[in-house]
Amino acid sequence: MKPDKWECKERVRLIAEGFQQCRSAFTAIGDETRQVILQVLLESDLNGIRVGEIAAKTHLTRPSVSHHLQILKAAGIVAMRQEGTKNYYYLSLKQTQWKAIADLVNLIYASVEHISAAELRREG
């Protein structure tokens, strides 16, 4: 019984750390406008897309798109590369928080699965 309790406490600790690490990312992707921008980024090629192109596809103003992209970039959700005076925004596994978010969600899912299995054993 003790290893199971320890395992649960360790999971809870890791989940708490994950929430702390991903807090700004979750806040950033919780906004509907930023979700629309993320969808545009997902539909674009991996080389990136400029603010004007995102604005045209979302019917948002360029200043609004720039504002939301800065929030996404600061939260580690979107990456940016410069070519001269042009900025290209894109999604990247290596330069963003996506892996940490996926790991946290998978850990939570595994914990819920573990709890559900324990409930089924008690009921059965």
Side-chain angles (χ1 to χ4, degrees), residues 17 23 31 34 36 46 49 51 53 67 80 95 107 122:
E17 284 179 10
R23 181 170 285 128
D31 180 85
R34 292 191 279 273
V36 169
L46 299 176
I49 186 169
V51 170
E53 295 171 84
H67 168 74
M80 183 198 74
Q95 300 172 22
L107 182 59
R122 279 195 299 262

Side-chain angles (χ1 to χ4, degrees), residues 109-120:
Y109 183 81
S111 297
V112 172
E113 196 172 45
H114 179 77
I115 291 166
S116 295
E119 285 177 7
L120 287 174

Side-chain angles (χ1 to χ4, degrees), residues 22-59:
C22 297
R23 181 170 285 128
S24 64
F26 281 127
T27 300
I29 62 177
D31 180 85
E32 288 181 45
T33 301
R34 292 191 279 273
Q35 291 169 10
V36 169
I37 291 170
L38 287 171
Q39 289 173 1
V40 170
L41 290 170
L42 285 166
E43 293 169 358
S44 70
D45 67 30
L46 299 176
N47 291 323
I49 186 169
R50 297 188 58 212
V51 170
E53 295 171 84
I54 297 170
K57 291 181 180 205
T58 60
H59 307 293

Side-chain angles (χ1 to χ4, degrees), residues 45-50 80-90:
D45 67 30
L46 299 176
N47 291 323
I49 186 169
R50 297 188 58 212
M80 183 198 74
R81 70 178 167 76
Q82 279 188 303
E83 283 184 19
T85 59
K86 297 176 183 176
N87 295 330
Y88 292 87
Y89 294 88
Y90 60 98

Side-chain angles (χ1 to χ4, degrees), residues 66-85:
S66 291
H67 168 74
H68 288 290
L69 283 170
Q70 289 308 312
I71 292 170
L72 290 166
K73 186 176 167 233
I77 296 298
V78 170
M80 183 198 74
R81 70 178 167 76
Q82 279 188 303
E83 283 184 19
T85 59

